[in-house]
């Protein structure tokens, strides 16, 4: 396994993926929530660097993980762009494209946390 320079940030990314993969409208009051997950994943990982591939060695181990992370913002930003920025979390989770967000997040989480 490659040693990472920022394992704490990797843990934050995995936690964000967990939220996106499992959050349901009936349980939006959990912590971290949707806002924190979006911030950790999109702002800190995807937009925080010119290219998410620059995260290899810091929070991501290889190009396989980069591809998995790149797949999450596509449906996520699509949902966010279609709703008012201050729309309540349940509105996001009930959006017709939210299942795509959930699937992409779950796939990325599985790539970043393979079972041994």
């Amino acid at each position: 396994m490659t040693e990472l320079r920022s394992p704490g940030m990797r843990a934050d990314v995995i936690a964000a993926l967990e939220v996106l993969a499992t959050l349901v409208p009936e349980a939006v009051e959990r912590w971290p929530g949707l806002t924190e997950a979006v911030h950790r994943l999109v702002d800190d990982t995807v937009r925080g660097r010119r290219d998410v591939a620059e995260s290899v060695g810091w929070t991501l181990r290889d190009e396989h993980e980069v591809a998995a992370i790149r797949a999450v913002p596509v449906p996520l930003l699509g949902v966010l762009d279609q709703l008012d920025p201050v729309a309540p979390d349940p509105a996001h989770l009930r959006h017709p494209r939210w299942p795509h967000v959930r699937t992409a997040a779950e796939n990325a989480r599985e790539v970043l946390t393979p079972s041994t």
Side-chain angles (χ1 to χ4, degrees), residues 2-4 6 8 11 14 20 22 29 31 36 40 42 53 55 72 75 79 95 98 100 102 110 114:
T2 304
E3 188 169 331
L4 299 173
S6 188
I14 292 168
L20 296 175
T22 62
E29 298 303 320
W31 179 264
E36 293 79 27
R40 287 179 179 163
V42 176
S55 295
V72 180
V79 169
H95 189 281
W98 190 260
H100 301 287
R102 182 174 286 119
E110 288 177 9

Side-chain angles (χ1 to χ4, degrees), residues 1-19:
M1 280 272 171
T2 304
E3 188 169 331
L4 299 173
R5 294 183 190 119
S6 188
M9 183 172 266
R10 179 185 178 86
D12 288 345
V13 168
I14 292 168
L17 294 170
E18 172 77 20
V19 169

Side-chain angles (χ1 to χ4, degrees), residues 10 13 17 41 45-46 49 51-73 104 108 111-112:
R10 179 185 178 86
V13 168
L17 294 170
L41 185 66
T45 304
V46 178
R49 300 189 181 271
D51 183 356
V52 73
E54 293 177 15
S55 295
V56 172
W58 290 93
T59 57
L60 303 177
R61 296 190 191 287
D62 55 34
E63 289 300 317
H64 186 61
E65 291 186 354
V66 168
I69 291 295
R70 279 187 176 144
V72 180
V111 169
L112 271 68

Side-chain angles (χ1 to χ4, degrees), residues 97-114:
R97 292 179 58 195
W98 190 260
H100 301 287
V101 174
R102 182 174 286 119
T103 299
E106 178 61 30
N107 290 340
R109 184 180 64 165
E110 288 177 9
V111 169
L112 271 68
T113 59

